[in-house]
Amino acid sequence: MESMYVKKPLYPILSIIASMVIFCVGLLISKEITILYFLGALTILYTAFGFGKILIKVVPIFFIIGGIIGFGSYLSNGDYMAWIQTLGRVMLLAYSSVITISFPPINLTRNLVQLKCPRLLTLGMLITVKFVPIIIDESRQIREAMKTRGVNVKWYNLSCLYRAFIVPFMIRLISISDIMAVSVETRGFDLNDKSTNVYRKINFTLRDGIFIGTLFLIMIGAIIVWRR
């Protein structure tokens, strides 16, 4: 995921809200060819704000998936618009997620702390962000241990998969969660809302305002074209 980060990410809360709005507007116009114009305008906007690298990595995968699923819809309905609609909806998932994967998750936690969100929310999110890489690493180690012991389990063999992977994986998660709970307590964290300092503050900039303003104009234009 770190390869998806950009040098100048958007304001985290703004990124999440914009992502949801893009998805909702895209679904609204997805039954018309307007969705392609909408995605084209988003491509220009994203590229202008430094998200072109993420588009190159994400869009081709979703384009292939959407093309295959859309072709199936075309064969079943005999209507090329069904192909376009399906492709547009799949591509919409990619475009709505681009700005949310462009910044480190810790930035969102910092943003929430600055906005005086409840400690239960910010602390839980911080632990979750730190816990995800640990889960990935543990699953990789368990798979490597299975290989070194000559255990070759097929994914459809649920009985063997349960004993060889799921059971040790759950045991490791419980052990790690206990260690993390003790670690949090020994560092003086609690759920009481106290005044906190953010080492690296996340500020709303003019660049963020220009992005959201341009995005708003694009969505208004797409809705107008769709209504016609």
Coordinates of all heavy atoms in Angstrom, one line a residue, residues 96-177:
S96 N -13.4 5.9 -7.2 CA -13.8 6.4 -5.9 C -12.8 6.0 -4.8 O -12.8 6.6 -3.7 CB -15.2 5.9 -5.5 OG -15.2 4.5 -5.5
S97 N -12.0 5.0 -5.0 CA -11.0 4.6 -4.0 C -9.6 5.2 -4.2 O -8.8 5.1 -3.3 CB -10.9 3.1 -4.0 OG -10.3 2.6 -5.3
V98 N -9.4 5.9 -5.3 CA -8.0 6.4 -5.6 C -7.6 7.4 -4.5 O -6.5 7.3 -4.0 CB -8.0 7.0 -7.0 CG1 -6.8 7.9 -7.1 CG2 -8.0 6.0 -8.1
I99 N -8.4 8.3 -4.2 CA -8.0 9.4 -3.2 C -8.0 8.9 -1.8 O -7.3 9.5 -0.9 CB -8.9 10.6 -3.3 CG1 -10.3 10.3 -3.2 CG2 -8.6 11.3 -4.7 CD1 -11.3 11.5 -3.3
T100 N -8.7 7.8 -1.5 CA -8.7 7.3 -0.1 C -7.5 6.4 0.2 O -7.1 6.2 1.3 CB -9.9 6.5 0.2 OG1 -10.1 5.4 -0.8 CG2 -11.1 7.4 0.1
I101 N -6.8 5.9 -0.9 CA -5.6 5.0 -0.7 C -4.3 5.8 -1.0 O -3.2 5.2 -1.0 CB -5.6 3.8 -1.5 CG1 -5.6 4.1 -3.0 CG2 -6.9 2.9 -1.2 CD1 -5.6 2.9 -4.0
S102 N -4.5 7.1 -1.2 CA -3.3 7.9 -1.5 C -2.6 8.5 -0.4 O -1.5 9.2 -0.5 CB -3.7 9.1 -2.5 OG -4.6 9.9 -1.8
F103 N -3.1 8.3 0.9 CA -2.5 8.9 2.0 C -2.3 7.8 3.1 O -3.1 6.9 3.2 CB -3.3 10.1 2.6 CG -4.7 9.7 3.1 CD1 -4.9 9.2 4.3 CD2 -5.7 9.9 2.2 CE1 -6.2 8.9 4.8 CE2 -7.0 9.5 2.6 CZ -7.2 9.1 3.9
P104 N -1.3 7.9 4.0 CA -1.1 7.0 5.1 C -2.2 7.0 6.0 O -2.7 8.1 6.4 CB 0.2 7.4 5.7 CG 0.9 8.3 4.7 CD -0.2 8.9 3.9
P105 N -2.7 5.9 6.5 CA -3.9 5.9 7.4 C -3.6 6.6 8.7 O -4.6 7.1 9.3 CB -4.1 4.4 7.7 CG -3.5 3.7 6.5 CD -2.4 4.5 6.1
I106 N -2.4 6.8 9.1 CA -2.1 7.5 10.3 C -2.5 9.0 10.2 O -2.8 9.6 11.2 CB -0.6 7.4 10.6 CG1 -0.3 7.9 12.0 CG2 0.3 8.1 9.6 CD1 -1.0 7.2 13.1
N107 N -2.5 9.5 8.9 CA -2.9 10.9 8.7 C -4.4 11.1 9.1 O -4.8 12.1 9.6 CB -2.7 11.3 7.2 CG -1.2 11.6 6.9 OD1 -0.4 11.4 7.8 ND2 -1.0 12.0 5.7
L108 N -5.2 10.0 8.8 CA -6.6 10.1 9.2 C -6.7 10.2 10.7 O -7.6 10.9 11.2 CB -7.4 8.9 8.6 CG -8.8 8.9 8.9 CD1 -9.6 10.1 8.4 CD2 -9.5 7.6 8.3
T109 N -5.9 9.4 11.4 CA -6.0 9.4 12.9 C -5.6 10.8 13.4 O -6.2 11.3 14.3 CB -5.1 8.3 13.4 OG1 -5.4 7.0 12.9 CG2 -5.1 8.3 15.0
R110 N -4.5 11.3 12.9 CA -4.1 12.7 13.3 C -5.2 13.7 13.0 O -5.4 14.6 13.8 CB -2.8 13.0 12.5 CG -1.6 12.2 12.9 CD -0.5 12.4 11.9 NE 0.8 11.7 12.3 CZ 1.8 11.4 11.5 NH1 1.7 11.7 10.2 NH2 2.8 10.8 12.0
N111 N -5.8 13.6 11.8 CA -6.9 14.5 11.5 C -8.0 14.4 12.5 O -8.6 15.4 12.9 CB -7.4 14.1 10.1 CG -8.2 15.3 9.4 OD1 -8.7 15.1 8.3 ND2 -8.3 16.4 10.1
L112 N -8.4 13.2 12.9 CA -9.5 13.0 13.8 C -9.1 13.6 15.2 O -10.0 14.1 15.9 CB -9.9 11.5 13.9 CG -10.5 10.9 12.7 CD1 -10.7 9.4 12.9 CD2 -11.8 11.6 12.3
V113 N -7.9 13.4 15.6 CA -7.4 14.0 16.9 C -7.5 15.5 16.8 O -7.9 16.1 17.8 CB -6.0 13.5 17.2 CG1 -5.4 14.2 18.4 CG2 -6.0 12.0 17.4
Q114 N -7.1 16.1 15.7 CA -7.2 17.6 15.6 C -8.6 18.1 15.7 O -8.9 19.2 16.2 CB -6.5 18.0 14.3 CG -5.0 17.9 14.3 CD -4.4 18.4 13.0 OE1 -3.7 17.6 12.3 NE2 -4.7 19.6 12.6
L115 N -9.5 17.3 15.2 CA -10.9 17.6 15.2 C -11.6 17.3 16.5 O -12.9 17.4 16.5 CB -11.6 16.9 14.0 CG -11.2 17.3 12.6 CD1 -11.9 16.5 11.5 CD2 -11.4 18.8 12.3
K116 N -10.9 16.9 17.5 CA -11.4 16.6 18.8 C -12.4 15.4 18.8 O -13.4 15.5 19.5 CB -12.0 17.8 19.4 CG -11.1 19.0 19.4 CD -9.8 18.8 20.2 CE -9.0 20.1 20.3 NZ -7.7 19.9 21.0
C117 N -12.2 14.4 18.0 CA -13.1 13.3 17.9 C -12.8 12.5 19.2 O -11.8 12.5 19.9 CB -12.8 12.4 16.7 SG -13.3 13.2 15.2
P118 N -13.8 11.7 19.6 CA -13.7 10.9 20.9 C -12.5 10.0 20.8 O -12.1 9.4 19.8 CB -15.0 10.0 20.9 CG -16.0 10.8 20.1 CD -15.2 11.5 19.0
R119 N -11.8 9.8 22.0 CA -10.6 9.0 22.1 C -10.9 7.6 21.7 O -10.0 6.9 21.2 CB -10.1 9.1 23.5 CG -8.8 8.3 23.8 CD -7.6 8.7 23.0 NE -7.2 10.0 23.3 CZ -6.3 10.3 24.3 NH1 -5.9 9.3 25.0 NH2 -6.0 11.5 24.6
L120 N -12.1 7.1 22.0 CA -12.4 5.7 21.7 C -12.3 5.5 20.2 O -11.8 4.4 19.7 CB -13.9 5.4 22.1 CG -14.4 4.0 21.8 CD1 -13.6 2.9 22.5 CD2 -15.9 3.9 22.2
L121 N -12.7 6.5 19.4 CA -12.6 6.3 17.9 C -11.2 6.4 17.4 O -10.7 5.6 16.6 CB -13.5 7.4 17.3 CG -13.5 7.5 15.7 CD1 -14.0 6.2 15.1 CD2 -14.3 8.7 15.2
T122 N -10.5 7.5 17.9 CA -9.1 7.7 17.4 C -8.1 6.6 17.8 O -7.3 6.2 17.1 CB -8.6 9.1 17.9 OG1 -8.7 9.1 19.3 CG2 -9.4 10.2 17.3
L123 N -8.3 6.2 19.1 CA -7.4 5.1 19.6 C -7.7 3.8 18.9 O -6.7 3.1 18.5 CB -7.5 5.0 21.1 CG -6.6 4.0 21.8 CD1 -5.1 4.3 21.5 CD2 -6.9 3.9 23.3
G124 N -9.0 3.5 18.7 CA -9.3 2.3 18.0 C -8.8 2.3 16.6 O -8.3 1.2 16.1
M125 N -8.9 3.4 15.9 CA -8.4 3.5 14.5 C -6.9 3.3 14.5 O -6.4 2.7 13.6 CB -8.9 4.8 13.9 CG -8.5 4.9 12.4 SD -9.3 6.4 11.7 CE -11.0 5.9 11.7
L126 N -6.2 4.0 15.4 CA -4.8 3.9 15.5 C -4.3 2.4 15.6 O -3.4 1.9 14.9 CB -4.2 4.7 16.6 CG -2.7 4.7 16.8 CD1 -2.0 5.2 15.5 CD2 -2.3 5.5 18.0
I127 N -5.0 1.7 16.6 CA -4.6 0.3 16.8 C -4.9 -0.5 15.5 O -4.1 -1.4 15.2 CB -5.4 -0.2 18.0 CG1 -4.9 0.5 19.3 CG2 -5.2 -1.7 18.2 CD1 -5.6 0.1 20.5
T128 N -6.1 -0.3 14.9 CA -6.4 -1.0 13.7 C -5.4 -0.8 12.6 O -5.0 -1.7 11.9 CB -7.8 -0.6 13.2 OG1 -8.8 -0.8 14.3 CG2 -8.2 -1.4 12.0
V129 N -5.0 0.5 12.4 CA -4.0 0.8 11.4 C -2.7 0.0 11.6 O -2.1 -0.5 10.7 CB -3.8 2.3 11.3 CG1 -2.6 2.6 10.4 CG2 -5.0 3.0 10.8
K130 N -2.3 0.0 12.9 CA -1.0 -0.7 13.2 C -1.2 -2.2 13.1 O -0.2 -2.9 13.0 CB -0.5 -0.3 14.6 CG -0.2 1.2 14.6 CD 1.0 1.5 13.7 CE 1.4 3.0 13.9 NZ 2.5 3.4 13.0
F131 N -2.4 -2.7 13.3 CA -2.6 -4.1 13.4 C -2.7 -4.8 12.1 O -2.4 -6.0 11.9 CB -4.0 -4.4 14.2 CG -4.0 -5.7 14.8 CD1 -3.1 -6.2 15.7 CD2 -5.1 -6.6 14.5 CE1 -3.2 -7.4 16.3 CE2 -5.2 -7.9 15.0 CZ -4.2 -8.3 16.0
V132 N -3.1 -4.1 11.0 CA -3.3 -4.7 9.7 C -2.0 -5.2 9.2 O -1.9 -6.4 8.7 CB -3.9 -3.6 8.7 CG1 -3.8 -4.2 7.3 CG2 -5.3 -3.3 9.1
P133 N -0.8 -4.5 9.2 CA 0.4 -5.1 8.7 C 0.8 -6.3 9.5 O 1.4 -7.2 9.0 CB 1.4 -3.9 8.9 CG 0.6 -2.7 8.9 CD -0.7 -3.1 9.6
I134 N 0.5 -6.3 10.8 CA 0.9 -7.5 11.6 C 0.1 -8.7 11.2 O 0.6 -9.8 11.1 CB 0.6 -7.2 13.1 CG1 1.5 -6.0 13.6 CG2 0.8 -8.4 14.0 CD1 1.2 -5.6 15.0
I135 N -1.2 -8.5 10.9 CA -2.0 -9.6 10.4 C -1.5 -10.2 9.1 O -1.4 -11.4 8.9 CB -3.5 -9.1 10.2 CG1 -4.1 -8.8 11.6 CG2 -4.3 -10.2 9.5 CD1 -5.5 -8.2 11.5
I136 N -1.1 -9.3 8.2 CA -0.6 -9.8 6.9 C 0.7 -10.5 7.1 O 0.9 -11.6 6.5 CB -0.3 -8.5 6.0 CG1 -1.7 -7.9 5.7 CG2 0.4 -9.0 4.7 CD1 -1.5 -6.6 4.9
D137 N 1.6 -10.0 8.0 CA 2.9 -10.7 8.3 C 2.6 -12.0 8.9 O 3.3 -13.0 8.6 CB 3.7 -9.8 9.1 CG 5.1 -10.4 9.3 OD1 5.9 -10.5 8.3 OD2 5.5 -10.7 10.5
E138 N 1.7 -12.1 9.8 CA 1.4 -13.4 10.5 C 0.9 -14.4 9.6 O 1.3 -15.6 9.6 CB 0.5 -13.2 11.7 CG 1.0 -12.5 12.9 CD 2.2 -13.3 13.5 OE1 2.1 -14.5 13.6 OE2 3.1 -12.6 14.0
S139 N 0.0 -14.0 8.7 CA -0.6 -15.0 7.7 C 0.5 -15.5 6.8 O 0.6 -16.7 6.4 CB -1.7 -14.3 6.9 OG -1.2 -13.2 6.2
R140 N 1.5 -14.6 6.4 CA 2.6 -15.0 5.6 C 3.5 -16.0 6.3 O 3.9 -17.0 5.7 CB 3.4 -13.8 5.1 CG 4.6 -14.1 4.3 CD 5.4 -12.9 3.9 NE 5.8 -12.2 5.2 CZ 6.9 -12.6 5.9 NH1 7.6 -13.6 5.5 NH2 7.2 -11.9 6.9
Q141 N 3.8 -15.8 7.6 CA 4.6 -16.7 8.3 C 4.0 -18.1 8.5 O 4.6 -19.1 8.4 CB 4.9 -16.1 9.7 CG 5.8 -14.9 9.6 CD 6.2 -14.4 11.0 OE1 6.0 -15.1 12.0 NE2 6.7 -13.1 11.1
I142 N 2.6 -18.1 8.7 CA 1.9 -19.4 8.8 C 2.0 -20.1 7.5 O 2.2 -21.4 7.5 CB 0.5 -19.1 9.3 CG1 0.5 -18.6 10.7 CG2 -0.3 -20.4 9.2 CD1 -0.9 -18.2 11.2
R143 N 1.8 -19.4 6.4 CA 1.9 -20.1 5.1 C 3.3 -20.7 4.9 O 3.4 -21.8 4.3 CB 1.5 -19.2 4.0 CG 0.0 -18.8 4.0 CD -0.4 -18.2 2.7 NE 0.4 -17.0 2.4 CZ 0.1 -15.8 2.7 NH1 -1.1 -15.5 3.4 NH2 0.8 -14.7 2.4
E144 N 4.3 -19.9 5.2 CA 5.7 -20.4 5.0 C 5.9 -21.6 6.0 O 6.6 -22.6 5.6 CB 6.6 -19.3 5.3 CG 6.6 -18.2 4.3 CD 7.6 -17.1 4.6 OE1 8.2 -17.1 5.7 OE2 7.8 -16.2 3.8
A145 N 5.4 -21.6 7.2 CA 5.6 -22.7 8.1 C 4.9 -24.0 7.5 O 5.4 -25.1 7.7 CB 5.0 -22.4 9.5
M146 N 3.7 -23.8 6.9 CA 3.0 -24.9 6.3 C 3.8 -25.5 5.2 O 3.9 -26.7 5.0 CB 1.6 -24.4 5.8 CG 0.6 -24.1 6.9 SD -0.8 -23.2 6.2 CE -1.4 -24.5 5.1
K147 N 4.5 -24.6 4.4 CA 5.3 -25.1 3.2 C 6.5 -25.9 3.7 O 6.9 -26.9 3.2 CB 5.7 -24.0 2.4 CG 4.6 -23.3 1.6 CD 5.1 -22.1 0.7 CE 4.0 -21.5 0.0 NZ 4.4 -20.3 -0.8
T148 N 7.2 -25.4 4.8 CA 8.4 -26.0 5.3 C 8.1 -27.4 5.9 O 8.9 -28.3 6.0 CB 9.1 -25.2 6.3 OG1 8.2 -24.8 7.4 CG2 9.6 -23.9 5.7
R149 N 6.8 -27.6 6.4 CA 6.4 -28.8 7.0 C 5.7 -29.8 5.9 O 5.2 -30.8 6.3 CB 5.5 -28.6 8.1 CG 6.2 -28.0 9.4 CD 5.2 -27.5 10.4 NE 5.8 -27.1 11.6 CZ 6.4 -25.9 11.8 NH1 6.5 -25.1 10.8 NH2 7.0 -25.6 12.9
G150 N 5.7 -29.3 4.7 CA 5.2 -30.1 3.6 C 3.6 -30.2 3.6 O 3.1 -31.1 3.1
V151 N 3.0 -29.2 4.2 CA 1.5 -29.2 4.3 C 1.0 -28.4 3.1 O 1.3 -27.2 2.9 CB 1.0 -28.5 5.6 CG1 -0.5 -28.5 5.6 CG2 1.5 -29.2 6.8
N152 N 0.4 -29.1 2.2 CA -0.2 -28.5 1.0 C -1.7 -28.6 1.0 O -2.3 -29.6 0.7 CB 0.4 -29.2 -0.3 CG 0.0 -28.5 -1.6 OD1 -0.5 -27.3 -1.5 ND2 0.1 -29.1 -2.7
V153 N -2.3 -27.5 1.5 CA -3.8 -27.5 1.7 C -4.5 -26.7 0.6 O -4.1 -25.6 0.3 CB -4.2 -26.9 3.0 CG1 -5.7 -26.9 3.2 CG2 -3.5 -27.7 4.1
K154 N -5.4 -27.3 -0.1 CA -6.2 -26.7 -1.1 C -7.3 -25.8 -0.4 O -7.8 -26.1 0.6 CB -6.9 -27.7 -2.0 CG -5.9 -28.6 -2.7 CD -5.0 -27.9 -3.6 CE -4.0 -28.9 -4.3 NZ -3.1 -28.2 -5.2
W155 N -7.6 -24.7 -1.1 CA -8.5 -23.7 -0.5 C -9.9 -24.3 -0.3 O -10.6 -23.9 0.6 CB -8.6 -22.4 -1.3 CG -9.1 -22.7 -2.7 CD1 -8.4 -23.0 -3.8 CD2 -10.5 -22.6 -3.1 NE1 -9.2 -23.1 -4.9 CE2 -10.5 -22.9 -4.5 CE3 -11.7 -22.3 -2.4 CZ2 -11.7 -22.9 -5.2 CZ3 -12.9 -22.3 -3.1 CH2 -12.9 -22.6 -4.5
Y156 N -10.3 -25.2 -1.2 CA -11.6 -25.8 -1.1 C -11.7 -26.9 0.0 O -12.8 -27.4 0.3 CB -12.1 -26.3 -2.4 CG -11.1 -27.3 -3.1 CD1 -11.0 -28.6 -2.7 CD2 -10.2 -26.8 -4.1 CE1 -10.1 -29.5 -3.3 CE2 -9.3 -27.7 -4.7 CZ -9.3 -29.0 -4.3 OH -8.4 -29.9 -4.9
N157 N -10.6 -27.4 0.5 CA -10.6 -28.4 1.6 C -10.7 -27.7 2.9 O -9.7 -27.4 3.6 CB -9.3 -29.2 1.5 CG -9.4 -30.5 2.3 OD1 -10.2 -30.6 3.3 ND2 -8.5 -31.5 2.1
L158 N -11.9 -27.4 3.3 CA -12.2 -26.5 4.5 C -11.7 -27.2 5.7 O -11.3 -26.5 6.7 CB -13.7 -26.2 4.5 CG -14.2 -25.4 3.4 CD1 -15.7 -25.1 3.6 CD2 -13.5 -24.1 3.2
S159 N -11.8 -28.5 5.8 CA -11.5 -29.2 7.1 C -10.0 -29.1 7.3 O -9.5 -28.7 8.4 CB -11.9 -30.7 7.0 OG -11.4 -31.4 8.1
C160 N -9.2 -29.4 6.3 CA -7.7 -29.2 6.5 C -7.3 -27.8 6.6 O -6.4 -27.5 7.4 CB -7.0 -29.9 5.3 SG -7.2 -31.7 5.2
L161 N -7.9 -26.9 5.9 CA -7.6 -25.5 5.9 C -7.9 -24.9 7.3 O -7.1 -24.1 7.9 CB -8.4 -24.7 4.9 CG -8.2 -23.2 4.8 CD1 -6.7 -23.0 4.3 CD2 -9.2 -22.5 3.9
Y162 N -8.9 -25.4 8.0 CA -9.3 -25.0 9.3 C -8.2 -25.4 10.3 O -7.8 -24.6 11.1 CB -10.6 -25.6 9.7 CG -11.1 -25.2 11.1 CD1 -11.6 -24.0 11.4 CD2 -10.9 -26.2 12.1 CE1 -12.0 -23.7 12.7 CE2 -11.3 -25.9 13.4 CZ -11.8 -24.7 13.7 OH -12.2 -24.4 15.0
R163 N -7.7 -26.6 10.2 CA -6.8 -27.1 11.2 C -5.4 -26.6 10.9 O -4.6 -26.3 11.8 CB -6.7 -28.7 11.1 CG -8.0 -29.3 11.6 CD -7.7 -30.8 11.9 NE -7.2 -31.5 10.7 CZ -8.0 -32.1 9.8 NH1 -9.3 -32.1 9.9 NH2 -7.4 -32.7 8.8
A164 N -5.0 -26.4 9.6 CA -3.6 -26.1 9.3 C -3.4 -24.6 9.3 O -2.3 -24.1 9.6 CB -3.3 -26.6 7.9
F165 N -4.4 -23.8 9.0 CA -4.2 -22.3 8.9 C -5.1 -21.5 9.8 O -4.5 -20.7 10.6 CB -4.5 -21.9 7.4 CG -4.3 -20.4 7.2 CD1 -3.0 -19.9 7.0 CD2 -5.4 -19.5 7.2 CE1 -2.8 -18.5 6.8 CE2 -5.2 -18.2 7.0 CZ -3.9 -17.7 6.8
I166 N -6.4 -21.7 9.8 CA -7.3 -20.9 10.6 C -7.0 -21.0 12.1 O -7.0 -19.9 12.8 CB -8.7 -21.2 10.3 CG1 -9.0 -20.9 8.8 CG2 -9.7 -20.4 11.1 CD1 -10.4 -21.3 8.3
V167 N -6.9 -22.2 12.6 CA -6.7 -22.4 14.1 C -5.4 -21.7 14.5 O -5.4 -20.8 15.5 CB -6.7 -23.8 14.5 CG1 -6.2 -24.0 15.9 CG2 -8.1 -24.4 14.2
P168 N -4.2 -21.9 13.9 CA -3.0 -21.2 14.4 C -3.1 -19.7 14.2 O -2.5 -18.9 14.9 CB -1.9 -21.9 13.6 CG -2.5 -22.5 12.4 CD -3.9 -22.9 12.9
F169 N -3.8 -19.3 13.1 CA -3.9 -17.9 12.8 C -4.7 -17.2 13.9 O -4.3 -16.1 14.4 CB -4.6 -17.7 11.5 CG -4.7 -16.3 11.0 CD1 -3.5 -15.5 10.7 CD2 -5.9 -15.7 10.9 CE1 -3.6 -14.2 10.3 CE2 -6.0 -14.3 10.5 CZ -4.9 -13.6 10.2
M170 N -5.8 -17.8 14.3 CA -6.6 -17.2 15.4 C -5.9 -17.2 16.7 O -6.0 -16.2 17.5 CB -7.9 -18.0 15.5 CG -8.9 -17.9 14.3 SD -9.3 -16.2 13.9 CE -10.2 -15.7 15.4
I171 N -5.1 -18.2 17.0 CA -4.4 -18.3 18.2 C -3.3 -17.2 18.3 O -3.1 -16.5 19.3 CB -3.7 -19.7 18.4 CG1 -4.7 -20.7 18.7 CG2 -2.7 -19.6 19.6 CD1 -4.2 -22.1 18.7
R172 N -2.7 -16.9 17.1 CA -1.7 -15.9 17.1 C -2.3 -14.5 17.2 O -1.8 -13.6 17.9 CB -0.9 -15.9 15.7 CG 0.1 -17.0 15.6 CD 1.2 -16.8 16.6 NE 1.9 -15.5 16.4 CZ 2.6 -14.8 17.3 NH1 2.6 -15.2 18.6 NH2 3.2 -13.7 17.0
L173 N -3.5 -14.3 16.6 CA -4.2 -13.0 16.7 C -4.6 -12.7 18.2 O -4.5 -11.6 18.7 CB -5.5 -13.0 15.9 CG -5.3 -13.0 14.4 CD1 -6.6 -12.9 13.7 CD2 -4.4 -11.8 14.0
I174 N -5.1 -13.8 18.9 CA -5.4 -13.6 20.3 C -4.2 -13.2 21.1 O -4.3 -12.3 22.0 CB -6.1 -14.8 20.9 CG1 -7.4 -15.1 20.2 CG2 -6.3 -14.7 22.4 CD1 -8.1 -16.4 20.5
S175 N -3.1 -13.9 20.9 CA -1.9 -13.6 21.6 C -1.4 -12.2 21.3 O -1.0 -11.5 22.2 CB -0.8 -14.7 21.2 OG 0.4 -14.4 21.8
I176 N -1.4 -11.8 20.1 CA -0.9 -10.5 19.7 C -1.8 -9.4 20.2 O -1.3 -8.3 20.7 CB -0.8 -10.4 18.1 CG1 0.3 -11.3 17.6 CG2 -0.5 -8.9 17.7 CD1 0.3 -11.4 16.1
S177 N -3.1 -9.6 20.2 CA -4.1 -8.6 20.8 C -3.8 -8.4 22.3 O -3.9 -7.3 22.8 CB -5.5 -9.1 20.5 OG -5.8 -10.3 21.1

